[in-house]
Amino acid sequence: MIIQQFYDKGLAHGSYAVIRTGKMIVIDPARNPQPYYDFAAQHDADIVGVIETHPHADFVSSHLEIHQTTGAVIYCSELTGATYPHETFDDGDVIQLNDIKLKAINTPGHSPDSICILLVDEEGRETAIFTGDTLFVGDVGRPDLRENVGNITAKKEELARQMYQSTRQKLMTLPKSVVVYPAHGPGSLCGKNMSPDLESTIGRELRENYALQLMDELEFVKTLTTDQPFMPKYFGRDVELNKAGVVNFEESIAAVPQLDADAVLDKDILVIDSRPKAQFRDGHLHGAINLMDGEKFETWLGSIIGPEEKFYLIAESEEKLDILIKKAAKIGYEGNIKATLLVPASANEVSAVLDLDNFKANEEAYTILDIRNTGEVAAGKVFNSAINIPLPELRERVGEIATDKPIVVHCAAGYRSAAGVSIIAASIDNVPVYDLGEVVTEMMKAVH
C-alpha cells in the first residue's frame, strides 16, 4: 500500500493518493490534476476513485476533470448536494480498494457535509484517517464558512456544536496509533492554530490539540468561534464551484486572453501589477494595484478582488504571466482575468519615497495606517497612533483615511503594504502615500 501526500504551500493544501495493487484513489485533489496522473503512471496504477471530504472554500478541486478524463467515480456525502456525477459516501459506506477498505465517517463541524475517511488495512486494522478540514495537526476546522453558501447552510455556533460531537464521539475514540492526514497545514485560513507538521496521530492530537482537551460544549463553542482569521472574498464562490465541478484546468488557462503591451485598456477594469515593488514604484499605470508574485499571491488576490470582478494582469515576463494564471486558476479566478499583458510603455507613474529619518523624528506629522489583520494588531501595535484597516477591507474603507497629513502604510514584513499603498494612492492624490516596507520588521523588534 502506498499513501502519498501532495502539498501546495501557496494554499497550505494537502491532497492524497492511496494505491493498492494497481488501483488508486485521490482525496481532495487540487485544481491541476496532472500530478495525480503522473503519480498513477509512475506506479502503473489506474485512478478508480476521487473522494471529496466536503465542497472546499479555499481552492477549486479537479474532481470532475479527473472523472471525465479517467472514468474514476467521484464519492462525496449525500449532504453536499453535488450536481456532478457521483456516488454518495456517508456513515457505513465502504470503498473496497482490493484488500483494503476506505470507510466514510460523517463529521459535520467545519461544514454540515464534511466527512473523514478511515483506512482499514488488509488485516482489518484501522491505520490512517484522512480528515479533510475537520481535524488538523493542532487544530480543527473553522465553523464560520457555511453561514450563507452551500447545499446546507448553518450558523457558526451550530456547526461548532456539531464539531464538538464529531471530535468527541467519532475521532477521539479511534485507536491512538491511527495516522492523521489533514487537508491543510500552517498558513491555511481554514483554521487558526495549525502546527507546522503535515501529519500526526490521534494519540498526539489527544495530547496536544487545544480543541481536543477536556471542556464542555459551551466552552468549546466559544473557543472555536473566537479569533478565527479573516475570510477572503472568494471563499463562498469556491464552495459553489466545487459543488458543481469546474472546466478542465489546461483548457481554462489557455482561454485567458493576452494583449500587446501597447494595447488600450478599459479604464473601468482593475489592473493587478505583479512585479516586485521596486519595479512597480519606478513606473506603473495609474490606479494599478501592486500585488507581487509571492507564496500567498492567490490568497491575497481572492481577498482583495471580488469573485465576480474582472482585472488585467501585468507581469515582467511571459513566464511570470503563465505562473500567475495558474495561481489564479487554483482559486477559480482565471476567468476573472480580462487579459494579461507585459509592462506597457505608458506605465510611468512613480511612487512617493519615504524620508525615513524625517518619519522617525516626526511620526506625529503623518497619518499611520496599519493594514495587518485585527488579530495581529491585538497582539501588539507598532505605532500607538496608527489606525487599523486590514488589507482585505482597504478598497472598501479607503474613504475612512484622513488626508490632512502624508500617509504611511505598514504591515508585518512589507508584502501587504506594497499592495495597500497602491490601493490608497489610486484613490487619494492630495497627499503623498508612503510604504514603510521591510523597515517595519526592525521597528517591531524594537517595540517587542
Side-chain angles (χ1 to χ4, degrees), residues 326-361:
K326 289 175 178 175
K327 286 188 175 185
K330 284 157 58 175
I331 64 166
Y333 266 42
E334 76 281 14
N336 296 50
I337 302 174
K338 175 82 170 175
T340 64
L341 64 155
L342 298 178
V343 186
S346 55
N348 53 19
E349 184 162 312
V350 178
S351 301
V353 178
L354 179 64
D355 181 334
L356 192 57
D357 291 336
N358 182 270
F359 171 68
K360 287 179 176 178

Side-chain angles (χ1 to χ4, degrees), residues 422-437:
S422 59
I423 289 169
I424 298 165
S427 299
I428 293 173
D429 56 13
N430 62 313
V431 292
V433 184
Y434 299 114
D435 181 2
L436 189 57

